[in-house]
Every structure is written in structure tokens, then in C-alpha cells.
Amino acid sequence: MTKIGIIGGGQLGRMLALAGYPMGLKFCCLDPQTGCSGGQVMPWIPGNYDDEAALKKIAQQCDVLTYEFENIPVKTVKFLQKHRSVFPGESVLEVAQDRGQEKSALRKLEIPTVDFHLVNDNDLEALKSAIKKMGLPAVLKTCRMGYDGKGQWKIQSLKEAEKLWPKLPRVDLILEAFCHFDREVSLVAVAGRNGQRNFYPLIENHHEQGILSWSRFPAPQVSSALQAQAEDYAMRLIDELDYVGVLTIEFFVKEGQLLVNEIAPRVHNSGHLTIEGAHCSQFENHLRAILGWPLGETTAHGHTLMVNLIGEFADQENLLKISGLHLHNYGKQARPKRKLGHIGVGFTDEKNLEANLEAILKLIKG
Ligand code: AMP
């Protein structure tokens, strides 16, 4: 029986395992945290991501390795590769871990992004000059380790930037032009070891305070040209990075044009609705991709809504009364701003989804 090792034991690892069991796969995860979400559904190896003894153990126990988040050290993937194949490989990690490198790589591939300037640590003058060149408002972000809106500050004036400066961490920063986007969408792409490539229809995303709040699939009013443009950008990245697995690209849509906000070398929160809404989920497709198996069908059936359960659980009893609703509980302790689970609800048509949206959001968010 093929056994897959997952570096990281969060909810993404958990959902990968849950998607793989029906196909007869076995799993194991490595994570520093006792009681982690993934460790509740598969054997768990405790260890930090740079713990060579633990890494060796998971490599020896498994046939193929993957990871479920992009902030594991590049060194870790290189170490694991000495023992087993790891997908995706390390080249995408170097890019995806650093917003500066990521935006520069996109620029090199002629994939549009918002305007940006890199600001080295401890250089207020560089920040001021970037603001002068680019204009305001802008968003200042740490290059590394920022996610879910952490490590970013909106800047409206030069004075505000000067006041903020002493409070900022002394790390490399990137100043991005603030994008007055019309909406946000994401593309979940899948590239198989066998060379096959598949793309899901675009997903529309709604964030609150930098955290994904809810998504719908397929995104409404997407022309075939917009979908094709997104797929072309994904293809350029897949080719450049020799990519294998699921790759997610988050876009701003402005005046009909796509601008990449960021890329994630993994299954993605916005893609959770492929569990209920697509013929083959992003999780199953990632597994098929890294095993070199034929990829699954990415087309959508019906219209699906995904709402994250963040910080606290909504009334489960009332949620489950909603027709067509599926509850995903990640088995995590409640904590403010923490993603504890999500719901996926399938509808036969867009109108039906829109008619129910407000009531479902109210039930979850109060
Ligand atoms: P990120 O962590 O970069 O994915 O940002 C989280 C969310 O913050 C995005 O999905 C947007 O809603 C918002 N955001 C980030 N960067 C910008 C920007 N340059 N302009 C406007 N909104 C942004």
C-alpha cells in the first residue's frame, strides 16, 4: 500500500488524508504540535521541521512526501529529497516564502502584479523614496512569514509611515500599491508528475481583515478569456518552477484584468469548495498529481458556497438544518482569528446561492 508523508499536520494535511483513504492510500504526518488536526486522522511523528531524526523517520516510513504549508525551511525539503521524492520540489518554496522574490519572479515571467518596491530592513529613506515613486495609499508587508493579514500595514500618508516605522519589525519589507480591485478570485491548478495539467474554474473570494471569509464556485461572470488568462499565468509558473502538485494563484480583478496577489504551492483554503463542488476535489487531485496517477475531472457541478468558521463555532444544530450543507470541523481548539472549520453548501443554480447567502453568513458570523 502506498504511504504518503505530509510535512505539517494542520487542516490541509488532514483533508489530504481524508481524500486519500478511499483510494487505498496510507498517510503519516510530521508536526511539532501534540493533538494537531492532521494527527487526529493519521499516524503522527512529533518533531520540528528542522529535526533531522524526525524527518528521516517520516522519509523512511513513506513512499512519497509532500508538505501542506510553504514556510517549512528549504533545507528541510533538500534533506528529505536525499531519501525520498518530495512534491512540490524546493524551487517553488524559495519563491513562495518571500513576497519580494515572489513578485520579482512574476515580473520576470511577465505576469502582472500590483506595482511594488522592495524596502530593505532598517532603511526608512528607502521606504520614503518608494512611497514617493509609487504614490499612496499603499500596503507595506513583511517579505516573509506573513499570512492571513498578519505582517501588513495600510499606509495613507508619508507622516503615517514615519510614525509606524519604529514599531515595525526589522526585517525586509515590500511596499505594494493599494489595489482598488473590483473583486478577488483564485485559480487552483494541478500539475501531474505524468505531465498532465488541469485547472478548476475560477473561485470568487471575500476577505475580512485580511482573512478569507467566504468563497463561491464557480465565480460568477467569468468570461472564457479571463479563465484562459488565469490558466496561461499558471502554466508559465508550472513550467518555470517544474511544478508538481496543486498550485493556487490568488488574483485581484481590476477593470477586467488579472493581477496576481500571491501564489501558494499547495492546496488552498479557497479550494475547499471543490470537495462538494467539483467532480474531483483539490485534495484528491494533489495526491493523484504527486503519485503520477491520471488527474481527476476539475469541472464544477452546480454552485457551491464555502464559509470559514473562524475563532468560534457557530450553532452546529442550526447549521446542519440547512439543506445541502456539509460541516468540516478541523478538531482544533477555539482561539480568536483561528480557522476552526468550514462549511460547504451546494446549490443547483446561482440565484439559489445568492438568495441564501446572507442568511447563512448571518448564522455563522452573527
Ligand atoms: P495577502 O496576505 O497578501 O494575501 O493579503 C490578504 C488580503 O489583504 C488580500 O486577499 C486582499 O484582500 C488584501 N490585500 C493584500 N494586498 C493588497 C493590496 N496591495 N491592495 C489591496 N488589498 C490588498
Side-chain angles (χ1 to χ4, degrees), residues 222-274:
V222 169
S223 65
S224 49
L226 196 77
Q227 177 75 28
Q229 186 68 82
E231 291 180 11
D232 173 53
Y233 295 152
M235 205 87 96
R236 288 187 213 175
L237 283 162
I238 288 167
D239 286 340
E240 171 76 11
L241 300 167
D242 208 7
Y243 194 88
V244 170
V246 162
L247 173 74
T248 308
I249 310 179
E250 292 184 67
F251 296 100
F252 300 134
V253 185
K254 194 170 180 229
E255 290 154 12
Q257 299 301 313
L258 292 168
L259 302 170
V260 174
N261 175 32
E262 64 177 356
I263 64 170
R266 54 173 165 79
V267 286
H268 192 258
N269 191 171
S270 66
H272 292 355
L273 31 59
T274 60

Side-chain angles (χ1 to χ4, degrees), residues 99 141 152 176-179 181 184 207 210 252 261-262:
R99 290 180 192 276
K141 300 180 179 178
Q152 30 184 292
E176 292 181 7
F178 186 84
C179 181
F181 51 77
E184 292 185 89
H207 291 81
F252 300 134
N261 175 32
E262 64 177 356

